[in-house]
Amino acid sequence: MLANIEGFISQHITQRNTSLFQTDIAKNAQKLSDEIEGKSVLVIGGAGTIGSSFIKALLPYCPGKLIVVDYSENGLTELTRDLRSEYNKFLPKKYITYPFDFGGEIFAKMFLENKFDIVACFAAHKHVRSEKDHFAIEAMLKNNVINTSKLLDLCLQNKPQHFFCVSTDKAANPVNVMGASKKLMENILLAYSRNLKISTARFANVAFSNGSLLYGFNHRFSKRQALSSPKDVKRYFVSPSESGQLCLLACILGNSGDIFYPNLNESQMMKFSTIAEKYLGELGYTPDYSDSEEEARIKSKNWRTSNSSYPVFFFDSDTSGEKMYEEFFTDSDAVDSERFKELGVINNNPKYTVENARELLDKIMLLFDRKDLIKTDIIHFLNSVISDFN
């Protein structure tokens, strides 16, 4: 396994020795400090890679109170240990973690009993492979859309100064249900942006984020299993720390309705198979290419630490709805690339009112109440409410 993942990301993936957003952070340091110092902050989904990176980007500006909510009790425990173990890391005296669902009654009680200045939500279904059938899609839409709308309704009752909710590059011209769910979420956010100061961000891949393919490389290698990846898919990448910084900048500096994205060019895209080869090179091995999964499994079973090569299986992508490339905006988006050095901003006019959004959510819940519901029904519904979903 790689011991220095951040170093590997910097050298072989992002190929940046400093943060992509260093200039924008330095230029806006006073504004960030003014808006964060002494303030009360709620981070939802804070035990995940992006949520925890957001917290680490936030803490140098000395918030007065930090509450972190995540359904993963173990993740919250590790987050706390990590924050308390890091040298010179500020942690407010009022620091509390809660292991519960942000769409439930207990969360609502906690939210309304506090006054938060900053609310940032990172709780999401994020994998295309999660949309297997109508059960999985219902769970995805409830998490990405319905729970987010519940949170927004709570915010109307107890308004924060800043509200941020993370989106995805897959919301631009969505071709899968995950992307469509996030596009729908963006439309809901924009509806509420008339009444709340709301911003969001579309993302590149976060290298070695929890559950990602690259994250899996460490697990495969530790278990002496072959590294496997598509050979025809290119992606943009940011480091975990850059992901947190991007979200912090969008949360604090964005105007209501803004969608942020990283300014990256096509030459910075990388194939997963190329990263796998570099990963093995860092560990002192060359790839031993296989023509099938079975061949890779046999090679793994017979592999010895004395070998100079390591089994890999690279294949043509077969994930339904997976794009061969990434895009952060469409031809119809109004893009501002001048406001920040390394951040682009999509300026939006709300498509819905809050009343329209609630009517749409009621339709989704009625759809889920059907006893004969199948996946195709949900796809047809999403096509009817998202014009660019294909």
Side-chain angles (χ1 to χ4, degrees):
M1 294 174 61
L2 289 179
N4 182 9
I5 291 178
E6 282 283 350
F8 177 81
I9 292 171
S10 174
Q11 182 177 357
H12 294 293
I13 301 180
T14 65
Q15 299 178 38
R16 293 186 289 270
N17 293 323
T18 59
S19 169
L20 177 66
F21 309 116
Q22 182 178 34
T23 300
D24 290 314
I25 290 171
K27 184 178 178 180
N28 294 282
Q30 189 60 55
K31 174 72 171 175
L32 291 168
S33 181
D34 291 344
E35 295 296 319
I36 297 171
E37 186 174 359
K39 300 298 177 63
S40 177
V41 183
L42 170 65
V43 181
I44 302 161
T49 301
I50 304 176
S52 61
S53 296
F54 174 87
I55 290 169
K56 291 179 179 180
L58 172 92
L59 288 178
Y61 300 98
C62 302
K65 179 179 182 179
L66 175 61
I67 290 182
V68 186
V69 172
D70 198 294
Y71 66 86
S72 173
E73 189 174 14
N74 290 339
L76 289 172
T77 300
E78 175 54 31
L79 170 70
T80 300
R81 289 170 177 164
D82 186 28
L83 295 177
R84 288 179 173 164
S85 298
E86 194 165 332
Y87 174 71
N88 206 29
K89 179 67 73 180
F90 172 84
L91 195 61
K93 291 181 180 179
K94 295 181 180 179
Y95 167 70
I96 307 171
T97 62
Y98 290 120
F100 45 62
D101 178 14
F102 81 110
E105 293 181 3
I106 299 174
F107 173 86
K109 289 179 182 179
M110 181 278 297
F111 186 93
L112 294 175
E113 286 185 12
N114 287 274
K115 175 59 181 174
F116 295 108
D117 301 298
I118 300 168
V119 176
C121 182
F122 300 92
H125 280 62
K126 64 179 183 177
H127 289 291
V128 175
R129 288 186 183 272
S130 295
E131 52 191 68
K132 296 176 174 64
D133 55 28
H134 66 285
F135 298 115
I137 293 175
E138 179 175 347
M140 179 180 288
L141 287 170
K142 281 190 173 180
N143 195 26
N144 291 356
V145 180
I146 294 169
N147 283 354
T148 301
S149 68
K150 289 181 180 179
L151 175 60
L152 289 166
D153 282 332
L154 290 173
C155 287
L156 289 180
Q157 297 178 59
N158 204 358
K159 288 188 178 182
Q161 296 173 17
H162 304 278
F163 179 93
F164 174 85
C165 191
V166 71
S167 186
T168 172
D169 62 283
K170 294 176 178 63
N173 286 323
V175 299
N176 49 60
V177 178
M178 197 281 283
S181 73
K182 282 295 194 175
K183 178 65 175 181
L184 192 55
M185 183 205 75
E186 288 182 357
N187 289 339
I188 301 295
L189 292 175
L190 292 174
Y192 281 79
S193 71
R194 301 170 186 265
N195 307 96
L196 297 164
K197 191 263 187 181
I198 293 174
S199 57
T200 184
R202 292 176 180 170
F203 257 83
N205 279 249
V206 181
F208 286 90
S209 62
N210 292 347
S212 68
L213 179 59
L214 302 190
Y215 175 85
F217 286 172
N218 268 340
H219 289 279
R220 302 288 73 72
F221 188 83
S222 69
K223 296 179 180 181
R224 301 298 185 254
Q225 297 168 345
L227 301 191
S228 172
S229 81
K231 61 184 179 183
D232 54 350
V233 175
K234 284 186 175 182
R235 290 290 181 262
Y236 294 108
F237 288 93
V238 294
S239 69
S241 59
E242 287 174 334
S243 75
Q245 293 164 354
L246 189 163
C247 293
L248 184 69
L249 290 166
C251 176
I252 303 302
L253 304 180
N255 298 322
S256 196
D258 282 349
I259 300 176
F260 281 64
Y261 63 88
N263 272 332
L264 297 168
N265 58 63
E266 192 171 347
S267 66
Q268 294 169 291
M269 299 181 85
M270 290 195 68
K271 293 182 178 179
F272 290 108
S273 54
T274 301
I275 297 173
E277 291 169 340
K278 291 180 179 294
Y279 177 94
L280 290 176
E282 189 74 9
L283 294 172
Y285 299 99
T286 58
D288 181 4
Y289 300 99
S290 304
D291 293 324
S292 68
E293 291 183 45
E294 184 62 23
E295 181 183 351
R297 280 192 286 265
I298 292 171
K299 287 180 178 179
S300 299
K301 181 180 178 181
N302 297 323
W303 187 81
R304 299 291 180 269
T305 54
S306 58
N307 292 6
S308 61
S309 60
Y310 194 86
V312 300
F313 174 52
F314 299 147
F315 53 88
D316 292 327
S317 179
D318 61 351
T319 302
S320 176
E322 191 70 85
K323 289 183 180 181
M324 293 298 104
Y325 59 94
E326 284 178 304
E327 52 190 341
F328 298 116
F329 55 87
T330 67
D331 293 338
S332 62
D333 287 327
V335 175
D336 180 354
S337 57
E338 302 299 323
R339 201 191 318 175
F340 300 95
K341 184 176 187 298
E342 298 297 352
L343 288 164
V345 182
I346 301 168
N347 304 309
N348 287 280
N349 292 315
K351 180 178 180 180
Y352 303 129
T353 64
V354 171
E355 291 71 24
N356 295 149
R358 288 171 178 163
E359 289 171 4
L360 179 63
L361 293 166
D362 287 341
K363 290 179 181 179
I364 294 175
M365 295 308 295
L366 285 173
L367 183 68
F368 291 155
D369 285 341
R370 282 176 44 180
K371 302 299 183 184
D372 59 344
L373 184 68
I374 59 175
K375 179 178 179 180
T376 306
D377 296 328
I378 306 176
I379 303 297
H380 287 328
F381 173 81
L382 291 172
N383 272 315
S384 72
V385 297
I386 303 173
S387 59
D388 54 350
F389 176 43
N390 182 25

